[in-house]
Amino acid sequence: MKDSAQAVVIGGGVVGASVLYHLAKSGWSDVLLLEKSELTSGSTWHAAGGMHTFNGEANISRLQKYTIDLYREIEARSGQSCGLHPNGGLMLAATPGELDSLKLICSRARYLGMETEMISLKEALEFNPLIDPQYFIGALWRADGGHCDPSGTTQAYAKAARTLGATLERFTRVTALNARRDGSWDVITDKGTVHAEHVVNCAGLWAREVGHLVGIELPVLAMEHHYLITEDLPEIAGRAKEIVNTTDYLGEIYMRQERRGCLIGTYEPHGIVWSPVKTPDDFAMQLLPEDFERLAPYFEVGFKHFPALGRVGIRKAVNGPFTFAPDGNPLVGPVRGLRNYWVACAVMAGFSQGGGIGLVLSRWMTEGDPGQDILSMDVARYGAFATPKYTSIKVPENYARRFRLAYPNEELPAARPLRRSPIYQRLKDAGAVMGANFGLENALWFAPPGVTPSETPTYRRSEAFAHVKAECQAVRRAVGIYETTNYGKYEVSGRGARAWLDRVFASRIPKPGRLALAPMLNPGGRIVGDLSIACLGEERFLIVGSGFAEEFHLRWFSSSDPPADVQVRSVASSLCGFSIAGPRARELLQPLVRLDLSATAFKLFGVRETAVGLAPVILTRAGFTGELGYELWSTPDYFETLYDELLSAGEPFGLAHFGGRALSSLRLEKGYGSFNKDFRPDYTPAETGLERFIDFTKPAFTGREAALSERTSGPRRRFVVMEIADADTEVIGYESIMKDGAAVGYVTSGAFGHCIGKSLAAGYVPAAMARDGARFEIDIFGEMRTAAVHLQARYDPQGARLRS
Ligand SMILES: Cc1cc2nc3c(=O)[nH]c(=O)nc-3n(C[C@H](O)[C@H](O)[C@H](O)COP(=O)(O)OP(=O)(O)OC[C@H]3O[C@@H](n4cnc5c(N)ncnc54)[C@H](O)[C@@H]3O)c2cc1C
């Protein structure tokens, strides 16, 4: 075995093999894969090999398409067959909600360039005559996908990697990882030590244990999973075409032809965690005991929906373990605090996702950037809240829901409440319906007295609609209170703080007593953050951004090398916040502070440390509603007292609680985009409109050259807010925006603008088409609706209320 390599990939399942191939293809030929047993001996060898492009996140869908298309390339390069059956797939709907979800997939697929269409059940029977149509009301056909041979595919990656100079060592177990001072690693194995610049944890079923080698606890856990292969079916005899992969949401079943019989698998509601504490070292090429008794009721449903399967015997049963993260998406990327340590694990759909993961991870390692937005599979979407117990509760929840619809207004209940602000129970008592963001409970909307604080999961308008409207109107007409504790908060301090911030952020860094809106770019000039910086003193700054991105931003800050005289720390749990917004906000607040809050004395983006009633507070004049507004930050010990004082001061003005739903409506009426939804690392300052907050007079900041060059060339596309005609429901996200029958862009977020009485959709369209009044069409659940661009905010376009 060689004793050094540029990168060591730990694990020879389909994911490790793909990472190895992509690293070698990127030009890193000195790469070595270490596998403790045979290739594929973890969860890969017994997979059903199904592959498809379906994912709720457009970027992951795109990577899944890349994965499937890649198989021809690795076959050609390696001479090894992947055993492809690229015959597409069917998805069956049994309820109106499921039908909506299929229509949404169709609308999204156009821009993604995927061949997908709604078909009748009669047409579905041509692809799969075994369906009993009485249980279903609609079907979707996708040309992409099919199935492959798991071992052949992994071997094809491995052989293709070898042709590019990569090496693989089987029967070589990594037993320890020792970091050197220069950031490189000594990889200790049972066959000797390899010195590597980078290591990648692709250890699948053992990813948790390989994480332990460097002291981290990855939120990953294995579940048992069963599928059956039937005896030959007479219905298949003589058929020219194979029966395609069919997903039955109602039955939580997938099935397809396997030789002259069928393969049928189920994601049962009470799944079994496999090896909850430690994965056995000696588990290799093994299956688990079958548990027919437990699974019989679920397979029975399959035999009812596909009756021919129940009429023949079972040739083979497979029960194998594979891993999941709490939300079912993979964990990919570098881990904060560890140099040159990467993960690509918790990959639930290795044959749909393995290629795409290899692609983005290899770019990240070799070029310093994944090359596209992958927030939804970034390991940094989890923070300290994702403890082993959290993972052990959330993973089974996700498994049980694998084939259930994820409604956009649905909040999953497991492991909640986890993080609670000091006023959690008070908000609940006020009728709050809660969501969870980065483990922290936050109010989505408030049920008035007499209304049950719960919501039916739906793609359409829910019973919350009228109550969110009342919240929006209260903010626009009088004043509202919104808890902002769930924002990401960081303190940056020290002698070198201003100079470091100047380098990391593209914006001007404000003077003491002022706040600035502050985009943060990567070297390629793409948006990695849309934050605000409040200067509390020459050497002390409070930075506020998206709560879900806390770990992502902390990793970004630490990779931006703060010098010794700069301290950066999260204050997520040590500062709680409120937003007070509305025309009467000043009247409410003034009696509680000694500070003169008049428009000339405390202007928009002013910052003060002051007392608000009994509580010491950081007070800023800022907000996200477009109204006169203030944000107040206090430590948790004062927070409830502050809340009490605000409530009683607000009573004469009709102070109303408002939640995240109302905020989404209010911000879209103002044309404000939001990080994660509208602004992500795919977009540039000129595309998003954040260019106006960039200080190009600064001689240097990350992303400056790229942003400058885009300034000269102009953006390719633009973020716009559109008004939807005759809408009876709102867009969800990623629907295609159509012009003359062609998909020219896609939606990033939507909401009903309750104070303008219009349904709004935000998204990106080609720059040349982004004209005021330009008309597009959006397929909203199968209905083509006209969408008209409004370049100016639909509400208070001059910002008079904001500055009042
Ligand atoms: C019954 C079943 C059906 C499935 N069906 C499908 C399907 O239809 N489609 C689909 O896409 N996916 C399917 N999957 C999931 C699929 O199997 C996984 O997504 C995939 O195998 C994950 O691959 P991996 O490389 O991440 O992990 P693994 O295959 O577990 O590979 C990890 C490798 O790392 C090695 N390793 C671990 N620790 C060390 C160490 N210390 N030193 C050296 N080597 C080490 C292990 O030996 C192992 O070979 C199915 C899974 C099961 C169980």
Side-chain angles (χ1 to χ4, degrees):
M1 184 171 69
K2 57 202 275 184
D3 60 9
S4 75
Q6 193 164 4
V8 163
V9 175
I10 305 169
V14 66
V15 175
S18 166
V19 169
L20 188 77
Y21 170 68
H22 282 91
L23 284 173
K25 197 177 161 192
S26 306
W28 282 20
S29 52
D30 181 19
V31 284
L32 168 67
L33 184 148
L34 299 177
E35 165 54 53
K36 69 181 174 58
S37 176
E38 273 295 359
L39 295 184
T40 77
S41 59
S43 58
T44 295
W45 69 280
H46 51 60
M51 52 189 199
H52 58 85
T53 52
F54 171 65
N55 194 285
E57 278 290 334
N59 279 315
I60 298 189
S61 280
R62 216 175 266 134
L63 289 174
Q64 294 186 187
K65 172 100 169 72
Y66 166 83
T67 301
I68 294 168
D69 292 345
L70 181 72
Y71 291 147
R72 294 292 182 209
E73 173 183 317
I74 57 171
E75 279 186 334
R77 210 185 270 271
S78 65
Q80 162 77 49
S81 165
C82 294
L84 294 176
H85 296 247
N87 46 14
L90 274 181
M91 297 166 100
L92 300 175
T95 65
E98 288 167 9
L99 202 57
D100 276 352
S101 100
L102 299 190
K103 288 177 181 168
L104 179 61
I105 293 173
C106 257
S107 176
R108 288 170 167 173
R110 293 193 186 104
Y111 187 73
L112 294 171
M114 293 169 190
E115 213 183 303
T116 301
E117 56 175 321
M118 296 301 297
I119 59 171
S120 67
L121 284 175
K122 197 163 156 243
E123 289 166 303
L125 285 170
E126 285 169 27
F127 293 108
N128 185 345
L130 306 183
I131 301 167
D132 184 342
Q134 66 167 314
Y135 295 106
F136 303 102
I137 59 171
L140 175 143
W141 160 250
R142 338 171 40 109
D144 299 310
H147 65 276
C148 62
D149 164 29
S151 292
T153 301
T154 310
Q155 296 294 349
Y157 275 126
K159 285 185 187 168
R162 273 198 200 98
T163 66
L164 294 165
T167 8
L168 293 93
E169 293 288 345
R170 293 172 305 138
F171 301 101
T172 308
R173 179 190 300 272
V174 174
T175 55
L177 290 168
N178 298 332
R180 290 196 185 179
R181 290 174 80 92
D182 66 357
S184 64
W185 294 90
D186 283 323
V187 181
I188 318 295
T189 80
D190 51 4
K191 303 259 175 77
T193 298
V194 186
H195 177 228
E197 211 175 300
H198 298 263
V199 292
V200 194
N201 176 353
C202 296
L205 294 173
W206 295 264
R208 175 182 49 188
E209 283 70 22
V210 170
H212 291 164
L213 297 181
V214 294
I216 56 170
E217 195 63 66
L218 291 164
V220 54
L221 196 62
M223 300 290 296
E224 293 191 15
H225 181 66
H226 281 71
Y227 65 78
L228 310 175
I229 296 174
T230 68
E231 304 277 5
D232 290 358
L233 289 161
E235 288 81 354
I236 290 178
R239 251 182 82 84
K241 282 194 293 182
E242 263 192 338
I243 288 176
V244 303
N245 241 312
T246 304
T247 307
D248 161 9
Y249 285 112
L250 175 70
E252 302 183 83
I253 290 279
Y254 61 91
M255 61 85 68
R256 65 164 166 84
Q257 186 169 337
E258 173 70 21
R259 307 205 177 179
R260 306 312 295 170
C262 273
L263 180 152
I264 175 169
T266 181
Y267 284 86
E268 70 277 12
H270 305 289
I272 303 284
V273 173
W274 182 69
S275 294
V277 179
K278 186 179 184 311
T279 307
D281 284 342
D282 55 357
F283 186 85
M285 292 290 183
Q286 284 174 56
L287 290 177
L288 306 172
E290 297 137 19
D291 191 350
F292 281 133
E293 212 166 304
R294 184 172 67 82
L295 286 158
Y298 310 110
F299 281 119
E300 284 299 331
V301 178
F303 298 150
K304 212 165 71 174
H305 294 181
F306 307 91
L309 273 59
R311 293 196 286 267
V312 292
I314 304 301
R315 176 183 295 147
K316 188 172 154 195
V318 172
N319 179 17
F322 67 126
T323 52
F324 298 79
D327 61 3
N329 278 336
L331 299 172
V332 179
V335 174
R336 178 165 69 98
L338 294 172
R339 282 167 71 191
N340 301 329
Y341 179 90
W342 307 82
V343 299
C345 60
V347 183
M348 161 194 79
F351 298 93
S352 299
Q353 299 180 332
I357 290 169
L359 176 75
V360 292
L361 189 70
S362 63
R363 283 194 195 137
W364 214 338
M365 293 173 67
T366 61
E367 298 167 19
D369 187 86
Q372 67 172 87
D373 158 30
I374 58 143
L375 286 176
S376 332
M377 59 186 198
D378 192 329
V379 61
R381 70 187 183 281
Y382 290 102
F385 71 92
T387 57
K389 180 163 183 186
Y390 173 88
T391 304
S392 74
I393 298 171
K394 285 308 250 189
V395 166
E397 179 190 54
N398 174 72
Y399 184 88
R401 298 180 48 88
R402 171 83 172 93
F403 279 163
R404 293 212 199 131
L405 299 180
Y407 288 99
N409 68 336
E410 199 175 8
E411 295 289 328
L412 302 185
R416 291 180 56 202
L418 173 56
R419 297 174 60 210
R420 279 177 267 194
S421 96
I423 59 161
Y424 166 78
Q425 195 51 49
R426 300 281 303 275
L427 293 182
K428 293 272 287 181
D429 295 345
V433 175
M434 292 285 185
N437 178 19
F438 215 63
L440 181 68
E441 296 291 315
N442 59 286
L444 300 175
W445 60 279
F446 289 82
V451 173
T452 314
S454 67
E455 196 180 6
T456 314
T458 176
Y459 284 94
R460 310 282 174 146
R461 286 176 190 165
S462 77
E463 55 268 58
F465 190 81
H467 310 303
V468 172
K469 176 178 185 166
E471 291 172 28
C472 292
Q473 288 176 338
V475 172
R476 294 269 187 251
R477 287 178 188 158
V479 60
I481 181 167
Y482 170 75
E483 192 193 5
T484 55
T485 304
N486 67 332
Y487 290 5
K489 293 146 273 166
Y490 317 90
E491 188 186 81
V492 177
S493 57
R495 288 168 62 104
R498 177 175 290 279
W500 180 74
L501 289 171
D502 240 330
R503 176 159 65 76
V504 175
F505 283 87
S507 66
R508 188 177 41 79
I509 306 304
K511 295 275 171 244
R514 299 292 297 161
L515 174 146
L517 301 180
M520 196 160 63
L521 309 182
N522 67 17
R526 312 242 154 214
I527 307 289
V528 290
D530 170 27
L531 304 102
S532 70
I533 304 178
C535 182
L536 306 176
E538 197 42 59
E539 295 179 6
R540 204 158 61 88
F541 298 85
L542 171 65
I543 299 179
V544 175
S546 299
F548 95 94
E550 185 190 324
E551 185 66 27
F552 175 82
H553 282 145
L554 284 173
R555 187 181 65 196
W556 188 264
F557 293 148
S558 72
S559 68
S560 302
D561 298 326
D565 60 355
V566 178
Q567 291 81 49
V568 182
R569 67 180 186 107
S570 164
V571 286
S573 296
S574 44
L575 279 186
C576 297
F578 289 116
S579 165
I580 301 288
R584 309 207 69 177
R586 181 180 289 119
E587 290 165 82
L588 180 159
L589 216 51
Q590 185 63 79
L592 295 176
V593 295
R594 297 267 166 104
L595 198 70
D596 176 2
L597 293 184
S598 63
T600 45
F602 191 55
K603 295 192 181 117
L604 183 64
F605 298 146
V607 177
R608 295 286 183 282
E609 286 182 274
T610 184
V612 175
L614 290 164
V617 158
I618 298 169
L619 178 68
T620 68
R621 208 192 129 177
F624 206 39
T625 64
E627 296 294 337
L628 167 67
Y630 302 88
E631 286 181 354
L632 298 82
W633 301 103
S634 91
T635 48
D637 45 353
Y638 290 101
F639 197 57
E640 195 165 1
T641 303
L642 178 62
Y643 180 57
D644 284 334
E645 292 205 81
L646 291 170
L647 286 191
S648 56
E651 215 178 317
F653 307 102
L655 178 68
H657 285 103
F658 68 107
R661 296 273 177 77
L663 193 63
S664 296
S665 164
L666 296 164
R667 67 140 180 119
L668 273 186
E669 287 181 337
K670 284 293 295 172
Y672 298 155
S674 144
F675 190 67
N676 187 25
K677 286 186 172 153
D678 310 298
F679 302 159
R680 295 174 68 119
D682 271 343
Y683 313 120
T684 65
E687 289 172 352
T688 52
L690 291 176
E691 193 187 39
R692 66 188 186 282
F693 302 117
I694 294 187
D695 180 3
F696 284 104
T697 64
K698 294 202 297 187
F701 59 84
T702 306
R704 184 173 186 274
E705 283 67 35
L708 262 180
S709 114
E710 190 196 29
R711 219 181 179 199
T712 318
S713 63
R716 217 164 42 83
R717 56 189 172 184
R718 264 187 206 283
F719 176 69
V720 291
V721 175
M722 292 162 287
E723 210 175 274
I724 312 284
D726 309 319
D728 54 5
T729 190
E730 277 58 64
V731 293
I732 307 295
Y734 296 123
E735 292 91 340
S736 303
I737 300 174
M738 312 291 294
K739 184 79 185 173
D740 302 328
V744 294
Y746 59 97
V747 167
T748 50
S749 68
F752 192 80
H754 287 285
C755 300
I756 58 166
K758 299 283 181 199
S759 183
L760 299 172
Y764 288 82
V765 296
M769 295 183 181
R771 288 186 306 273
D772 203 35
R775 284 171 181 272
F776 297 92
E777 286 197 308
I778 302 177
D779 170 353
I780 306 180
F781 303 118
E783 305 278 340
M784 279 295 181
R785 305 281 184 195
T786 303
V789 170
H790 286 269
L791 288 183
Q792 285 215 318
R794 291 292 282 110
Y795 180 81
D796 186 26
Q798 306 308 325
R801 296 175 74 101
L802 184 69
R803 289 187 181 77
S804 61

